[in-house]
Amino acid sequence: MENPTPVPPPHAAKDVTEHVGYRLKRASAALRNAMDRALREHGLTVPQYSCLELLDEQPGLSNADLARGTFVTRQSANVVLRGLKDAGLITRPATAAQGRALPVHLTSAGRERLHLARRAVYSIEVRMIGGVPADRLPALLSDLDAMTEALDG
Amino acid sequence: MENPTPVPPPHAAKDVTEHVGYRLKRASAALRNAMDRALREHGLTVPQYSCLELLDEQPGLSNADLARGTFVTRQSANVVLRGLKDAGLITRPATAAQGRALPVHLTSAGRERLHLARRAVYSIEVRMIGGVPADRLPALLSDLDAMTEALDG
DNA sequence: ACCGGCATGTCAAAATGCTGACATGGAGAA
DNA sequence: TTCTCCATGTCAGCATTTTGACATGCCGGT
């Protein structure tokens, strides 16, 4: 009487490695690893790079914005920002002109560092995408998006 | 003269959220979050659950095997195993009969806990997969696999 | 037999991330 | 206005994970 009802598997799968979650995690880990190694040569961590990329695109984002954008907590993002500020790659006002949000901006050194690191990161993305047929890329993006929405919504 | 040569983007993309890496990370984060919440009710962390799942399928795996299987370092896996052992969910010999690898096995309590937690996790996977067209699932699995291989190989 | 390479388990230290909690500022309802 | 709700920034404590290092046991070629 330990387990009378076997759990119905999400879909036909011989073992764990056939599960979407496993593949997703594995791909994500591989990407994280590759980015870690590449960014280390530029003196950046993955969260730091992610913040720089977001800030280059949307200057003035707040700490909370960056936390959401990089999928970590506000507290973690705060630590990252402190590191970037100490490195002179971003600026952050000590007081808020209005509200509590403190808008973060890239310094020219930050922009420069980002542009250098971006080369390395993009080449990784190119290598990663190289494995999948080009005509399936839109579907892949869409499916990843759908999965996220299905979980978050 | 700051950046004479713009970096060629990996593929046509208006912003960062169009990049495969971003989508991948986002989906992975959403899954991780959902699993964290679900497994907490069962007193398990994601790495712990992952180890139990692997051990149920392949009894006798070593710490290093589990580290590779869960995409963490041997040291991290060791901490996880210690937790599982303290909880009485696994057994681990103190000495190796041959070689250095110590084969890990599930206890009946471990199997029971796994079967309970599996329901919650599978329902998450079902929900996640629910967002993508069923006929695209094989391609999705294949593409995730291809990306991993392109990065690791 | 010997030795070099390699995988494993483990220790120590540091970095990283999260949970819980609290104070502040703003928007909207009563 | 006043009050309630929500988002933000931040502090403290804890958990998790990684890097770096070292000792042990096997397996290959020499």
Side-chain angles (χ1 to χ4, degrees):
Chain A
M1 176 104 29
E2 187 161 298
N3 252 285
T5 60
V7 183
H11 61 109
K14 287 185 303 186
D15 56 35
V16 187
T17 68
E18 302 271 333
H19 291 194
V20 178
Y22 181 86
R23 299 284 180 102
L24 189 59
K25 185 174 180 177
R26 181 170 59 166
S28 189
L31 175 59
R32 171 72 185 233
N33 237 299
M35 286 181 67
D36 261 329
R37 276 197 295 268
L39 287 173
R40 186 165 311 172
E41 304 172 13
H42 295 275
L44 290 175
T45 66
V46 171
Q48 283 176 337
Y49 168 78
S50 303
C51 280
L52 292 183
E53 197 69 65
L54 285 175
L55 285 170
D56 185 54
E57 194 169 89
Q58 305 174 46
L61 287 184
S62 71
N63 176 38
D65 290 331
L66 292 168
R68 277 186 293 269
T70 58
F71 317 110
V72 295
T73 60
R74 294 195 303 276
Q75 293 87 333
S76 296
N78 208 347
V79 175
V80 172
L81 285 188
R82 206 170 305 168
L84 288 174
K85 174 142 189 176
D86 290 346
L89 303 182
I90 63 167
T91 63
R92 207 180 178 199
T95 94
Q98 177 243 8
R100 291 207 79 198
L102 304 174
V104 183
H105 287 270
L106 291 183
T107 63
S108 55
R111 253 183 301 276
E112 200 166 337
R113 184 81 71 88
L114 171 61
H115 291 322
L116 289 176
R118 186 179 279 165
R119 276 191 185 76
V121 172
Y122 278 17
S123 85
I124 290 176
E125 176 126 351
V126 166
R127 185 150 51 93
M128 180 171 75
I129 293 179
V132 339
D135 60 315
R136 277 220 296 260
L137 211 50
L140 177 59
L141 282 170
S142 158
D143 292 343
L144 286 172
D145 199 40
M147 289 193 291
T148 304
E149 207 167 332
L151 289 174
D152 286 343
Chain B
M1 172 105 30
E2 187 162 299
N3 254 283
T5 61
V7 183
H11 61 110
K14 287 186 302 188
D15 56 37
V16 187
T17 68
E18 301 271 333
H19 291 194
V20 178
Y22 181 86
R23 299 283 180 104
L24 190 59
K25 185 174 181 178
R26 181 170 59 166
S28 188
L31 175 59
R32 170 73 184 231
N33 237 296
M35 287 181 66
D36 261 329
R37 275 197 295 265
L39 286 173
R40 186 165 310 171
E41 303 173 13
H42 295 275
L44 290 175
T45 65
V46 171
Q48 283 176 336
Y49 168 78
S50 303
C51 280
L52 293 184
E53 197 68 67
L54 285 175
L55 285 170
D56 185 56
E57 195 168 87
Q58 305 174 46
L61 287 183
S62 71
N63 176 39
D65 290 330
L66 292 168
R68 279 186 292 268
T70 58
F71 316 110
V72 295
T73 60
R74 293 195 303 276
Q75 294 88 332
S76 297
N78 208 346
V79 175
V80 172
L81 285 188
R82 205 170 306 169
L84 289 174
K85 173 143 189 174
D86 290 347
L89 303 181
I90 62 166
T91 62
R92 207 181 178 199
T95 93
Q98 176 242 10
R100 292 207 78 196
L102 304 175
V104 183
H105 287 269
L106 290 184
T107 63
S108 54
R111 254 182 301 275
E112 199 166 338
R113 184 80 72 89
L114 171 60
H115 291 322
L116 290 177
R118 187 179 279 164
R119 276 192 185 76
V121 173
Y122 278 16
S123 86
I124 290 176
E125 175 126 350
V126 167
R127 185 150 52 95
M128 180 172 73
I129 293 179
V132 340
D135 61 313
R136 277 221 297 260
L137 211 49
L140 177 60
L141 282 169
S142 158
D143 292 343
L144 286 172
D145 199 40
M147 289 193 290
T148 304
E149 206 167 332
L151 289 174
D152 285 344

